[in-house]
Amino acid sequence: MPDDLTLPEPVGSFPAAGQPVPQHWSRCFGCGDQSPAGMSMSFTAGEGLDVWGRLEVAPRYQGGPGVIHGGILSTAFDEALGMVCRSIVDGPVVTGHLEIDFARPIPLGSVLEFHARIDGSIRRKVYASAEARIVEGPTADPDVVVATSRGLFLTVTAEHFEKTKDFVDGVPERPFGTSSI
Ligand SMILES: CCCCCCCC/C=C\CCCCCCCC(=O)SCCNC(=O)CCNC(=O)[C@H](O)C(C)(C)COP(=O)(O)OP(=O)(O)OC[C@H]1O[C@@H](n2cnc3c(N)ncnc32)[C@H](O)[C@@H]1OP(=O)(O)O
């Protein structure tokens, strides 16, 4: 992480603390309500440049016997880190780099709580980090961090999606750009 990062003020479009942070795109695998096979994650704005996220670990997310697949957990972190970027960016961002530390096994049936924050920003780069805890389920312990993540996100313009917009599956009820922010 560069040492010349700044911590910007929150953008006006970011919800007040405790309010839901809406899905960014209804077809998103992580948060969209028009993605039936998706993860249906939900998010709430924190007190500062942070968000809280929730994921129910469904049986179909299995990797090893009885535990969450690492790729699913990575996707959840990607979503949580991307969502917190909305606290300082009033427009789209995409993931440039994502790293995960898998600290404890996460059983199917768990409810995971994610806490993601902005670490800093410079030019188009936004650095964010997050941790996950099991808050419901067989091994729930809100004092234990079961995984952590750091990511680099880049702000992009709407043109970034110009080449792929024709591949959208079906007609979204709330097209990108009008669905949320
Ligand atoms: C599913 C997307 C939905 C988006 C909708 C958004 C709306 C709502 C908004 C917000 C909520 C978001 C919630 C989303 C959650 C899920 C997000 C995802 O999973 S996104 C899919 C995976 N990611 C990609 O598909 C990117 C593929 N990569 C690219 O398109 C390019 O590589 C891109 C845009 C990331 C950078 O390319 P360049 O040409 O625009 O920029 P250059 O000039 O190369 O880099 C700019 C700076 O960034 C650094 N940089 C770029 N990539 C880096 C990397 N991998 N590692 C380190 N630095 C990197 C460079 O060194 C440069 O730094 P210097 O300013 O010079 O200091």
Side-chain angles (χ1 to χ4, degrees), residues 5-150:
L5 299 178
T6 59
L7 269 179
E9 291 296 311
V11 291
S13 54
F14 191 62
Q19 295 301 306
V21 181
Q23 60 187 357
H24 62 83
W25 164 235
S26 63
R27 297 274 172 174
C28 174
F29 182 79
C31 67
D33 65 2
Q34 283 192 292
S35 180
M39 294 162 62
S40 300
M41 291 184 76
S42 57
F43 292 91
T44 304
E47 299 283 335
L49 302 178
D50 63 316
V51 298
W52 296 88
R54 180 182 161 95
L55 172 70
E56 296 178 19
V57 183
R60 68 179 187 278
Y61 300 158
Q62 188 159 199
V67 295
I68 193 171
H69 194 291
I72 290 284
L73 187 61
S74 305
T75 302
F77 273 120
D78 190 14
E79 194 69 33
L81 295 173
M83 280 294 195
V84 78
C85 292
R86 301 174 69 184
S87 65
I88 62 165
V89 179
D90 197 357
V93 297
V94 293
T95 321
H97 178 82
L98 181 68
E99 56 191 61
I100 316 287
D101 286 309
F102 301 90
R104 296 277 190 281
I106 298 170
L108 304 179
S110 303
V111 174
L112 285 173
E113 182 184 76
F114 295 83
H115 191 203
R117 68 200 58 79
I118 299 293
D119 293 322
S121 171
I122 182 166
R123 297 185 288 282
R124 292 172 49 215
K125 302 190 288 189
V126 181
Y127 293 83
S129 59
E131 65 271 335
R133 296 175 173 83
I134 301 173
V135 292
E136 290 175 38
T139 62
D141 186 344
D143 295 329
V144 174
V145 171
V146 294
T148 57
S149 177
R150 294 194 301 177

